[in-house]
Amino acid sequence: MDSVIEIQRQTHEEIERLDRAAATLLSQAPTTRRQQIKDEHKVSNILDRITSRASTLHSSYIDEDNSRHTETTLLSEPGLNEFYARLKRIKDYHMKYPEQPSDPFELELGGLLGEDDDLYDAEDNEDPVALLFSGEESFGRYLDLYAHHSQYNNFKTLPRHVSYVQYLDALSKVLDEKTLHQELSSTIKLSKDYEAYVTALYAYLLSFTKRTQPLVDTNAQQREAETEFEKLWSQGQITGWGDTPPPSDANGAEGGIYCTACQKHYAKQTVYDAHLKSKKHLKAVSRDALQDGAGGTKPHADASGTNGSSAHAATQAPHHSKHYKSALKSHLIVPVLVPLLPTLLDSKSNVERRFALTARERELEAESTEQQSSVPANIANGAVKKEGGEDEDEEERIYNPLKLPLGWDGKPIPYWLYKLHGLGVEYRCEICSDGVYMGRKNFERHFQESRHAFGMRALGLPNTKHFHEITRIEDALALAEKLKQEGRQEIFQNETMEEMEDDEGNVYNKKTYEDLKKQGIIS
């Protein structure tokens, strides 16, 4: 049997050595973002082991099985019999296992510090950090929200689909609005699709935070946010998530009578009364009754015709509401998303930058990313050391005093190319809310983009080739009036140039012929 006192001493030593190892990792200045995340994950792993050992040490000091007290009593007895007995066991053990390392913890510590990373990467050719992120996330630099953007656009009553950049803008408003998706109507927020969407979004953002910031105690932050939500929910301060939606707005988008059992609006009282006898309604009422009996009370519409929009249901916030989960996830997302706003803005800038790239440039960028991710860490680190410690990562600070735009490789484009494409020339478009476009190519391209098309629709004008190169609102309206006048003159010319013949063979122009025919002079 191992000595309890020796195990406690060894545990104290291991905790101290782990503490020094974590301090060593944190004191090293990372050369790349990949190395920074890798070091932080190592430190997080070390802290987990320190916590585990401290918990074990605390349990041994409590001495519930009285083993420490027994060993202390044996060692306190006069004579050296116990000492020699322990010495004999130690010698027998090392004679039986002569190749056993003298310090097994040194191997464990070396694995935590990554001293065997060179062998691991050379054999497996896989970077552990690269496996944590997708290609779009680029080692935690950007967010990959394309799947959630698709879920957002698939809401049934969404007025119009939004682009990915507009979706990122909607998420960034959480800092000012202190709530998620305030632009959505209550009909969408009370739907099952929104619950699935907000649950998936919360899980992704929480996972992304843990992968990029492993040293942050996100679980403690979420527990505090959940406690705050429970307090506000019980006090009824969180509104808009009850079983009863708010009354209809001025446009009548959510008007009529609402049935909480079926979760549907009915425009007329007669239609609402007729549906109360339907099998679907009776089945929904019985299902709600079973849920109420199993887990609390919840106001709902019964088969006798009790309307879900009663005053009692509107004044209280049911704790066991069907939408409790959606409300909880929407509240918990805010403290997770706010620290990620800089990453969200960087993701938006990256998407806009990739829009400006050609297909060939995007292929080259993808190939470059794949090559960087496939290079083993030991080879990459060796190359850095051979070059005198220069950082070859994309995050390296690049000398760019002329503020030249970046190319597909993340470096400034040549100055001659900058002058060739005229990227230093500003083009303003009043129709696009005084939008500024750098370079002739970007300026010509923007006439077919959604922003310019939206401005033309706001003016009530078609976005046709006639209005190409027109940037001022006054000029666009004048051109539209001119085109309208030309259309009228063309109609007048057709009326005067086209000839018609009556039954007697007399020839008239079209306008005169129609006038005489209306008067009954000719047939």
Side-chain angles (χ1 to χ4, degrees):
M1 181 181 68
D2 294 332
S3 171
V4 177
I5 296 178
E6 174 60 22
I7 291 176
Q8 290 177 346
R9 185 208 63 78
Q10 184 179 355
T11 306
H12 277 292
E13 179 187 355
E14 292 176 355
I15 290 177
E16 186 176 351
R17 293 172 69 178
L18 288 172
D19 194 4
R20 288 200 300 266
T24 302
L25 286 174
L26 292 176
S27 62
Q28 298 175 355
T31 56
T32 63
R33 179 173 179 82
R34 180 187 304 184
Q35 188 64 35
Q36 177 185 355
I37 294 178
K38 194 172 184 178
D39 291 344
E40 289 181 354
H41 277 279
K42 289 179 181 179
V43 173
S44 177
N45 196 4
I46 290 175
L47 294 177
D48 291 340
R49 296 185 181 234
I50 291 177
T51 303
S52 175
R53 281 171 168 77
S55 177
T56 304
L57 197 60
H58 176 71
S59 301
S60 65
Y61 275 119
I62 293 177
D63 198 16
E64 294 181 352
D65 56 356
N66 209 26
S67 58
R68 175 182 169 83
H69 176 72
T70 304
E71 184 175 352
T72 306
T73 304
L74 290 175
L75 294 176
S76 302
E77 293 179 355
L80 299 176
N81 296 330
E82 183 64 24
F83 170 77
Y84 285 114
R86 291 171 182 263
L87 180 60
K88 183 178 182 303
R89 287 199 299 267
I90 293 175
K91 290 182 178 180
D92 292 342
Y93 176 82
H94 284 286
M95 290 180 63
K96 186 176 181 180
Y97 305 102
E99 297 181 358
Q100 189 74 11
S102 59
D103 190 5
F105 182 71
E106 186 68 28
L107 300 177
E108 179 183 356
L109 191 61
L112 289 175
L113 293 177
E115 295 177 358
D116 56 346
D117 279 356
D118 296 347
L119 178 62
Y120 173 81
D121 292 328
E123 292 179 352
D124 298 341
N125 198 22
E126 289 183 353
D127 187 358
V129 179
L131 299 178
L132 296 175
F133 302 98
S134 65
E136 184 66 26
E137 290 173 338
S138 185
F139 300 102
R141 291 187 182 90
Y142 313 116
L143 291 168
D144 185 4
L145 297 171
Y146 285 98
H148 308 92
H149 170 240
S150 300
Q151 284 184 288
Y152 182 90
N153 278 335
N154 287 334
F155 290 146
K156 294 180 181 179
T157 56
L158 192 68
R160 61 184 180 86
H161 287 186
V162 298
S163 64
Y164 186 65
V165 175
Q166 292 173 332
Y167 174 70
L168 296 180
D169 287 334
L171 289 178
S172 63
K173 294 179 182 178
V174 71
L175 181 61
D176 300 327
E177 299 174 352
K178 301 301 180 183
T179 184
L180 181 68
H181 291 315
Q182 194 173 5
E183 74 278 2
L184 296 180
S185 64
S186 60
T187 303
I188 296 178
K189 288 192 173 184
L190 297 180
S191 63
K192 291 292 184 181
D193 293 337
Y194 181 80
E195 180 180 339
Y197 159 76
V198 75
T199 302
L201 180 61
Y202 169 74
Y204 171 76
L205 294 177
L206 191 61
S207 171
F208 184 85
T209 303
K210 290 181 178 179
R211 285 180 284 136
T212 56
Q213 304 174 16
L215 299 181
V216 177
D217 192 359
T218 55
N219 294 329
Q221 295 177 355
Q222 289 301 293
R223 285 194 297 268
E224 293 178 2
E226 188 170 357
T227 303
E228 179 187 2
F229 172 80
E230 292 290 349
K231 181 180 178 181
L232 296 176
W233 183 267
S234 61
Q235 295 175 357
Q237 298 183 15
I238 299 180
T239 58
W241 295 99
D243 289 332
T244 305
S248 60
D249 53 14
N251 298 327
E254 297 179 1
I257 306 171
Y258 184 74
C259 176
T260 56
C262 303
Q263 295 188 4
K264 289 180 63 178
H265 283 91
Y266 294 91
K268 298 181 180 180
Q269 181 68 34
T270 55
V271 180
Y272 174 78
D273 295 339
H275 104 284
L276 294 176
K277 300 178 181 180
S278 63
K279 294 182 179 179
K280 183 178 180 181
H281 175 78
L282 296 176
K283 184 177 180 180
V285 170
S286 61
R287 182 181 65 248
D288 291 348
L290 291 175
Q291 292 178 355
D292 293 346
T297 59
K298 175 174 61 65
H300 57 81
D302 53 17
S304 61
T306 304
N307 191 358
S309 57
S310 62
H312 177 68
T315 55
Q316 68 174 7
H319 184 78
H320 297 282
S321 170
K322 293 180 180 178
H323 315 293
Y324 174 79
K325 185 178 180 181
S326 300
L328 175 61
K329 297 301 183 183
S330 298
H331 182 83
L332 295 180
I333 270 184
V334 176
V336 180
L337 186 57
V338 169
L340 294 177
L341 285 180
T343 307
L344 189 67
L345 297 178
D346 291 342
S347 304
K348 176 185 173 184
S349 301
N350 181 56
V351 172
E352 292 175 341
R353 179 185 67 84
R354 293 179 62 185
F355 281 159
L357 301 179
T358 62
R360 177 58 181 167
E361 290 172 341
R362 292 176 184 173
E363 292 177 359
L364 293 175
E365 184 177 15
E367 292 175 359
S368 175
T369 304
E370 290 178 359
Q371 291 176 1
Q372 290 180 2
S373 61
S374 62
V375 174
N378 59 332
I379 298 178
N381 294 335
V384 171
K385 293 177 182 178
K386 288 180 182 179
E387 295 176 6
E390 295 182 0
D391 182 12
E392 297 296 334
D393 192 74
E394 294 179 356
E395 261 193 351
E396 178 186 7
R397 292 195 175 186
I398 300 174
Y399 183 67
N400 188 14
L402 298 179
K403 306 297 182 184
L404 300 176
L406 302 181
W408 63 269
D409 56 353
K411 297 181 181 180
I413 64 175
Y415 185 70
W416 64 267
L417 187 62
Y418 175 81
K419 298 293 289 184
L420 177 64
H421 290 285
L423 297 179
V425 182
E426 292 186 357
Y427 293 89
R428 291 187 175 272
C429 181
E430 187 178 351
I431 299 176
C432 299
S433 302
D434 287 333
V436 178
Y437 301 92
M438 305 301 294
R440 182 70 186 179
K441 182 179 179 181
N442 294 332
F443 174 69
E444 292 179 352
R445 184 188 303 167
H446 101 279
F447 287 103
Q448 304 301 326
E449 294 178 352
S450 58
R451 184 177 181 183
H452 188 82
F454 177 78
M456 294 294 290
R457 287 197 302 270
L459 297 175
L461 303 176
N463 190 22
T464 59
K465 291 184 178 180
H466 300 89
F467 296 92
H468 196 69
E469 303 287 340
I470 303 298
T471 59
R472 297 180 56 193
I473 297 177
E474 182 180 354
D475 295 343
L477 295 176
L479 178 59
E481 186 65 26
K482 182 179 179 181
L483 293 175
K484 189 183 297 183
Q485 294 294 337
E486 290 179 355
R488 291 175 180 173
Q489 291 179 4
E490 184 178 354
I491 294 174
F492 178 76
Q493 291 177 0
N494 290 336
E495 291 179 348
T496 56
M497 295 298 294
E498 188 175 356
E499 294 182 345
M500 308 290 290
E501 183 177 350
D502 61 2
D503 296 340
E504 297 179 358
N506 301 318
V507 179
Y508 309 94
N509 60 44
K510 183 178 180 181
K511 187 175 184 305
T512 304
Y513 177 81
E514 291 180 351
D515 291 341
L516 294 176
K517 190 172 183 179
K518 289 179 181 178
Q519 297 175 9
I521 298 177
I522 60 176
S523 57

